[in-house]
Amino acid sequence: MVGYSDMIIENGRLKGAPLPEGIIDIFSLEPASGRESAFVFYDKDNPDNKICHVGITWQRGRTEVTYGTESPYRKKGFMQEALDAFLKWFAANTSENKIWGLPNGTNREESKHILEKCGFIYYGKVEENDSCSWYVYDICSQ
């Protein structure tokens, strides 16, 4: 599996990111390509085949991880490998100390399992939707 990204980090922030008052929102800018800020992982033997993506978004006052796996590659360990690699990159290249996960969609149980295997811990129910739960990855405790 190989990964590509169009994110540019400089001094712990996306290149050119302003310093918002009260909180460092390093992921508020769109990359130059206009796509979401993400790493996309491809099959190394067939680079036209996307395996999965791991990205970041700033929503609900938190830095959140987003991720998804293409159907033919599910339940084969690719997402755990990709998320582990992303979390190591994130810890080394940003000044954030927490990243949040919010498993949702039709594969919610699989998403929870992946987050837990990658070191996220259960935090609590989502205020506006009690069928969803927050998970948090504390970079300082890793």
Side-chain angles (χ1 to χ4, degrees), residues 77-117:
F78 290 112
M79 180 48 65
Q80 182 181 346
E81 181 182 347
L83 186 54
D84 276 337
F86 172 80
L87 291 169
K88 286 177 185 158
W89 173 88
F90 186 86
N93 291 284
T94 72
S95 56
E96 294 284 312
N97 60 6
K98 288 187 172 138
I99 189 165
W100 297 83
L102 183 62
N104 56 28
T106 57
N107 297 316
R108 187 174 295 154
E109 290 305 313
E110 292 173 23
S111 290
K112 287 179 190 177
H113 182 70
I114 289 166
L115 289 175
E116 289 168 349
K117 286 187 90 164

Side-chain angles (χ1 to χ4, degrees), residues 33-49:
S33 68
R35 297 188 308 250
E36 77 175 302
S37 297
F39 287 92
V40 180
F41 296 87
Y42 295 89
D43 185 328
K44 67 182 176 185
D45 297 323
N46 188 350
D48 292 330
N49 289 351

